[in-house]
Amino acid sequence: MSGGYNEIHPEPTTFWSKYIISFDHKVIAKQFLWYGIAFLGIGGLMALLIRWTLAYPGEAFPVIGHLLFPNSAGIVPPDSYAMLFTMHGTIMIFYAITPILIGAFGNYCIPLMIGARDMAFPMLNMLSFWFAFLSGVVLLASLFLPLGAAAGGWTSYPTLSTMIGSPGAGQTLWCVAIFLFGVSSTMGAVNYVTTVITLRAPGMGYFDMPLTVWGLWLTAILNAIFVPVLGAGVILLTLDRVMGTTFFLAGASATSGSGDPVLFQHVFWIFGHPEVYILILPAWGIVSDLLSFFSRKPAFGAKATALSMTSVSVLSTIVYGHHMFTTQMSPLLTQSFMTLTMTISIPSAIFFANWLGTIWKGSIRFDSPMLFSLGVVFVFGLGGLTGLHLGTVTTDLYLHDTYFVVGHFHYTMAASVLLGGYAGIYFWFPKMFGRMMNETMAKIHFWGTMIPLNGIFFGMLMVGYGGMHRRIYNPFVYDSLKRLMPINEMITVSAILMGAFQIIFVINFLWSLYKGKKAPNNPWNVGTLEWTIPSPPVHHNYDVIPVVKCGPHEFGNPNLKTGRDFQYQTEELVQGPV
Amino acid sequence: MDFLNLSVSTSWWELSKPPLDISTNGHLIDSLFAYTTVLAVFYFILVCIGLFGFSFLYSYKRNKTPLYTYGNKKKHLLITAFIGAAVFLSVDLNITRLSNNDLLDVFWKWPNPKTEKVLRVEVMAQQWMWSFRYAGPDDQFGTADDIVTNNDLRVPTNTKILFHLTSKDVIHSFFVPNVRLKVDTIPGRVTRVWWDANIPGEYDIVCAEMCGTHHYMMKARLTVYSEEDFKGWMATSEKLAMNTNNPDDKNLAWGWKWEY
């Protein structure tokens, strides 16, 4: 199986080659981690500005309001509000979740967990990060333009995102930034796919891979197929904006021929629906592994979980039309997309059952990575089930573009991915940096995130059902929405609380980086390959490429005589009566 | 912090109920929502029982020796497959069937102006207002006697109202929370929606699709009249339209010939 290129690269010696233009997957993973956490902070601050505006319209944002909006006495103006929610969505999806879950964990975990010395294409990996960096610079630069950043929502539907609705250069820079990010993601994706296929350690079959690697691999496959579609979409949009083409123009201003704005929605969502699975699959994989690791029990139906995740990935490519029910597609398309969407329940129910099966009769350790993983099961349950209301056409006709949608996708994409990301950070931090994170602070951080998070997103489901539509600057323009004021205020207070508890994470992270307890090679007593080598690993990971002899979830085998309750993947499976 | 004030008489559940349903068919959507919610809550409770129950029963303190199983025995696979099938059959197929029936029997059953009492309205959306056009005495759209109103839609009770909608500039979405329906208005296309309203009063029409800076202000008033009152308003408006509509006014000339 190890047919690929897997030799030891010489260790870089200069600061520049070691930390900046690094070809080492572990350094690139950390670069992506820092990058993602920085953007998570920016996107989170934007979320607070949005929430403040919705709960206290016309009041100055506290502390930094006057600094950010000097011309409106600290109050977020309506045009800035539109930029804020556009940038919040864009940043969180492309610049926070993607770098952390895919960039950092993908880079860090894939080679280590499959017993490789680096990615298949180290240089491509380096380029992937620096393209993402360039893209981030372009996106942030757009915030300082005279007419401001893009303001058409992260979906940027034309014709609003063409010159008709967005005359500023911000939207053009948005397209350029997304295109560059697409280049970065595609480079990463082909690299991950190739690495998993060619560089698995001898003896490691696909079903011997940890489920984390399964999740990341499926994500990479979807990325490689669908991110280029978005790239094509934003190129066409850019041409409409700067070259006078009319791919997506129609209506009164399409004076030189008419295209179709709905075409963009098809292009966008044929990427956009797989994208939500691109974001969640790594978290599913991490959770599937961690539930087993901390229950000290093999993952229940691991093969079925891997195959369910694969079926979800396949199905995710043929359901995108449920984002477009209100555009009035043909009835046949509408009915087909509704039915196909519903079939996603089957694999989802199967891996949910397997998650619960994994902790059933386990011996559960409630360390912070486990708490966050259990949190993912809870919030993804809520998020997945509210998807039923939106996949059904008639209820969607009421709920589409209301806060119910916002609550739903935040539960699935934001809450689950955030908690899954934290689970991963707490779990792999010792391996990455050679030090342990503070467990008490981690537990405070968990509860301080989990409780307000549900206040925020469940509150959104409630106001959405109450009829509050999305992306409105001031809901209280409408008499019928005034009654929702107290719930909006509750959401905002929860958001501020949740934001405040993230400071504990940042402190814990930075403090542990320098002052944390030295981590042993295998602090969690887990048998996957990365825990057989020192923390942090040496430059080339494995002095000798390991030979894999058993699966990644060997816990609690009653025939074990080693004094450990787990087996390393490099050990022959202990057989005997069970 | 008003929301902490527990003396508020209405509970949050009460507050988050959707606005008054004024149509004949809005209850179909409400009841399907309720039905889906009941099923979702049922399965979510099962997840919570597993999640919290197992966390309690099988914590390290209570259970030192975990069960050594891969969960791939025949009975395990049967149980997992059963759960998958149960969810699909009890929830998904059910709500898909109900929703599809509602679409075919009601929401996609377009009223026929030739055979039933239907009020036809053309709607044009633009940043950031709604314009409505009634055919006027000649029953033809796009003619000089059309009645055109801005941000002001008036309809009678007990009448099916059939809208044909388009947009001048960007995509908007015609959303009337009180009848539970919305449809996008798309430049270059005509979309349609029909509903009826049976409770006289004034309600909000909102734009549900992000359409620019003042998206949040793009609201129109829906006035539901009794049939007599509507006739009275219509008669006055027709007279007004005949006297004041200027055929050269380009802003009035957006109507189109009603087809299908």
Side-chain angles (χ1 to χ4, degrees):
Chain A
M1 262 155 270
S2 180
Y5 177 80
N6 211 357
E7 66 185 39
I8 297 179
H9 304 285
E11 195 160 349
T13 45
T14 61
F15 177 82
W16 188 254
S17 61
K18 199 167 178 180
Y19 296 110
I20 310 294
I21 307 294
S22 174
F23 286 30
D24 179 1
H25 74 100
K26 298 185 289 300
V27 176
I28 296 170
K30 287 176 198 169
Q31 289 174 325
F32 268 119
L33 186 65
W34 289 110
Y35 174 95
I37 289 176
F39 271 108
L40 191 66
I42 300 172
L45 181 67
M46 287 174 166
L48 290 182
L49 285 160
I50 295 168
R51 281 315 316 173
W52 181 266
T53 311
L54 284 171
Y56 309 107
E59 287 182 39
F61 188 75
V63 192
I64 53 169
H66 286 273
L67 205 70
L68 293 172
F69 309 105
N71 298 329
S72 55
I75 302 163
V76 181
D79 55 342
S80 301
Y81 179 80
M83 288 165 208
L84 281 172
F85 67 67
T86 303
M87 285 294 135
H88 167 74
T90 308
I91 284 178
M92 287 304 203
I93 290 169
F94 295 108
Y95 297 86
I97 299 175
T98 307
I100 295 177
L101 268 291
I102 305 171
F105 292 142
N107 263 311
Y108 202 79
C109 298
I110 291 177
L112 286 178
M113 289 182 121
I114 63 173
R117 289 196 167 123
D118 204 327
M119 284 285 181
F121 310 118
M123 184 166 177
L124 203 59
N125 209 10
M126 177 277 287
L127 286 174
S128 167
F129 175 74
W130 286 105
F131 264 91
F133 186 84
L134 188 62
S135 162
V137 170
V138 173
L139 191 83
L140 289 180
S142 75
L143 288 166
F144 298 96
L145 291 171
L147 287 176
W154 85 278
T155 51
S156 332
Y157 283 178
T159 48
L160 181 63
S161 58
T162 61
M163 289 315 237
I164 298 166
S166 312
Q171 187 68 51
T172 313
L173 284 193
W174 182 91
C175 294
V176 173
I178 293 299
F179 185 80
L180 287 173
F181 204 88
V183 172
S184 155
S185 281
T186 314
M187 285 176 175
V190 292
N191 207 352
Y192 295 2
V193 175
T194 316
T195 305
V196 170
I197 293 174
T198 60
L199 293 185
R200 276 170 295 122
M204 183 180 262
Y206 285 105
F207 290 106
D208 298 322
M209 298 194 302
L211 291 165
T212 306
V213 179
W214 266 93
L216 289 162
W217 187 45
L218 292 168
T219 280
I221 293 171
L222 287 178
N223 244 335
I225 299 173
F226 290 103
V227 167
V229 179
L230 177 70
V234 295
I235 284 184
L236 294 181
L237 186 57
T238 313
L239 290 178
D240 273 8
R241 289 182 59 80
V242 299
M243 303 291 275
T245 56
T246 57
F247 292 109
F248 305 129
L249 279 186
S253 43
T255 46
S256 57
S258 191
D260 187 359
V262 179
L263 177 63
F264 182 86
Q265 296 190 19
H266 283 282
V267 174
F268 185 86
W269 287 117
I270 208 169
F271 148 81
H273 197 79
E275 172 70 5
V276 305
Y277 290 97
I278 287 169
L279 302 176
I280 192 66
L281 275 162
W284 284 350
I286 291 172
V287 168
S288 307
D289 273 343
L290 295 192
L291 288 177
S292 152
F293 295 166
F294 288 88
S295 303
R296 315 307 296 171
K297 186 169 169 279
F300 192 92
K303 206 169 182 174
T305 306
L307 292 176
S308 305
M309 296 202 304
T310 313
S311 350
V312 173
S313 307
V314 173
L315 287 174
S316 78
T317 63
I318 50 171
V319 300
Y320 75 91
H322 61 224
H323 296 268
M324 298 167 57
F325 286 152
T326 58
T327 60
Q328 227 157 53
M329 293 175 291
S330 83
L332 180 64
L333 274 183
T334 304
Q335 289 165 319
S336 314
F337 278 125
M338 167 164 66
T339 315
L340 287 169
T341 301
M342 293 297 169
T343 57
I344 288 192
S345 284
I346 305 173
S348 312
I350 288 175
F351 67 70
F352 251 88
N354 282 342
W355 284 349
L356 295 176
T358 303
I359 61 172
W360 166 71
K361 293 203 170 169
S363 176
I364 306 170
R365 270 77 163 164
F366 293 98
D367 296 304
S368 49
M370 183 61 168
L371 285 178
F372 279 98
S373 305
L374 293 170
V376 173
V377 180
F378 183 85
V379 297
F380 198 82
L382 267 176
L385 287 166
T386 48
L388 291 168
H389 301 87
L390 297 167
T392 316
V393 180
T394 47
T395 39
D396 184 64
L397 293 181
Y398 175 60
L399 297 170
H400 183 78
D401 269 325
T402 65
Y403 260 83
F404 195 89
V405 179
V406 181
H408 159 74
F409 74 69
H410 275 95
Y411 259 122
T412 49
M413 264 165 46
S416 310
V417 176
L418 189 73
L419 295 179
Y422 280 136
I425 290 177
Y426 283 114
F427 184 72
W428 279 294
F429 187 92
K431 187 54 65 183
M432 284 180 133
F433 299 102
R435 291 180 187 272
M436 303 298 292
M437 286 182 85
N438 182 301
E439 187 64 17
T440 318
M441 271 153 101
K443 280 186 175 142
I444 297 172
H445 174 223
F446 171 72
W447 292 108
T449 304
M450 188 68 188
I451 295 167
L453 177 149
N454 281 288
I456 300 169
F457 302 131
F458 204 83
M460 287 182 175
L461 292 176
M462 287 169 72
V463 293
Y465 183 53
M468 179 168 151
H469 45 302
R470 282 175 80 175
R471 292 166 170 171
I472 48 174
Y473 170 65
N474 181 354
F476 309 106
V477 169
Y478 299 92
D479 295 333
S480 53
L481 296 182
K482 281 184 182 142
R483 70 186 199 289
L484 300 172
M485 186 78 163
I487 309 182
N488 269 309
E489 207 182 337
M490 182 276 289
I491 301 175
T492 299
V493 173
S494 304
I496 294 170
L497 266 178
M498 181 174 154
F501 275 102
Q502 305 317 302
I503 296 172
I504 295 186
F505 168 75
V506 174
I507 293 173
N508 192 357
F509 191 92
L510 294 177
W511 182 84
S512 306
L513 211 51
Y514 297 103
K515 293 270 151 67
K517 199 164 66 127
K518 280 249 182 278
N521 286 1
N522 189 2
W524 310 111
N525 296 317
V526 167
T528 49
L529 294 175
E530 79 271 29
W531 303 106
T532 60
I533 51 173
S535 314
V538 294
H539 173 68
H540 54 269
N541 300 349
Y542 295 96
D543 293 330
V544 181
I545 295 291
V547 177
V548 172
K549 295 180 183 141
C550 69
H553 308 112
E554 280 304 328
F555 295 96
N557 186 341
N559 302 306
L560 270 177
K561 300 282 181 287
T562 47
R564 289 188 256 118
D565 70 335
F566 68 99
Q567 271 189 277
Y568 284 108
Q569 277 196 275
T570 48
E571 296 168 339
E572 200 71 56
L573 182 63
V574 179
Q575 304 278 2
V578 175
Chain B
M1 295 197 192
D2 295 339
F3 76 93
L4 291 177
N5 182 357
L6 295 176
S7 66
V8 178
S9 58
T10 30
S11 71
W12 286 5
W13 295 113
E14 210 61 36
L15 291 179
S16 64
K17 276 189 181 158
L20 175 73
D21 172 22
I22 58 168
S23 68
T24 314
N25 300 311
H27 74 274
L28 294 172
I29 289 171
D30 286 348
S31 60
L32 185 58
F33 184 95
Y35 183 74
T36 313
T37 306
V38 167
L39 293 169
V41 167
F42 171 76
Y43 281 99
F44 189 62
I45 288 175
L46 289 189
V47 169
C48 286
I49 290 175
L51 189 63
F52 294 108
F54 294 161
S55 294
F56 176 79
L57 288 175
Y58 305 117
S59 73
Y60 175 62
K61 283 183 196 128
R62 278 190 191 73
N63 190 24
K64 297 274 191 250
T65 41
L67 177 70
Y68 182 64
T69 174
Y70 295 109
N72 60 0
K73 295 208 181 79
K74 205 170 176 186
K75 80 172 175 205
H76 295 142
L77 292 179
L78 277 175
I79 292 171
T80 328
F82 172 77
I83 292 174
V87 171
F88 187 66
L89 295 176
S90 69
V91 185
D92 298 276
L93 278 189
N94 244 333
I95 57 178
T96 307
R97 178 179 56 82
L98 290 171
S99 175
N100 201 41
N101 288 349
D102 290 348
L103 287 171
L104 295 178
D105 298 343
V106 180
F107 300 108
W108 286 347
K109 203 163 188 186
W110 303 101
N112 185 348
K114 293 197 182 83
T115 55
E116 43 189 335
K117 192 168 64 171
V118 177
L119 174 68
R120 297 175 303 163
V121 181
E122 288 186 349
V123 182
M124 196 193 55
Q126 59 182 302
Q127 286 178 325
W128 288 278
M129 67 187 261
W130 297 102
S131 302
F132 303 98
R133 175 178 290 264
Y134 303 83
D138 68 352
D139 219 26
Q140 297 288 318
F141 283 91
T143 53
D145 66 345
D146 288 2
I147 296 154
V148 180
T149 64
N150 289 331
N151 290 333
D152 183 12
L153 172 67
R154 307 189 187 209
V155 300
T157 53
N158 296 320
T159 309
K160 289 180 177 176
I161 303 143
L162 177 57
F163 297 91
H164 280 194
L165 314 92
T166 194
S167 165
K168 191 193 254 181
D169 38 38
V170 306
I171 297 175
H172 304 270
S173 188
F174 181 72
F175 179 28
V176 187
N178 296 83
V179 300
R180 310 286 188 263
L181 289 176
K182 70 169 68 73
V183 67
D184 291 353
T185 69
I186 301 164
R189 287 188 179 211
V190 175
T191 50
R192 51 185 179 159
V193 65
W194 80 270
W195 39 259
D196 54 7
N198 294 325
I199 303 175
E202 294 202 351
Y203 311 96
D204 281 331
I205 295 170
V206 311
C207 174
E209 180 67 57
M210 172 61 187
C211 60
T213 304
H214 296 285
H215 163 56
Y216 72 107
M217 305 251 270
M218 188 165 162
K219 68 169 180 174
R221 188 110 293 243
L222 164 66
T223 310
V224 180
Y225 285 130
S226 67
E227 280 172 283
E228 276 84 82
D229 288 351
F230 183 77
K231 268 185 200 135
W233 174 77
M234 200 43 141
T236 324
S237 305
E238 279 173 358
K239 241 178 263 155
L240 205 65
M242 300 281 245
N243 293 332
T244 58
N245 278 4
N246 176 1
D248 297 330
D249 183 353
K250 289 276 188 296
N251 283 329
L252 282 179
W254 55 264
W256 61 90
K257 197 167 159 279
W258 188 280
E259 285 167 286
Y260 59 86

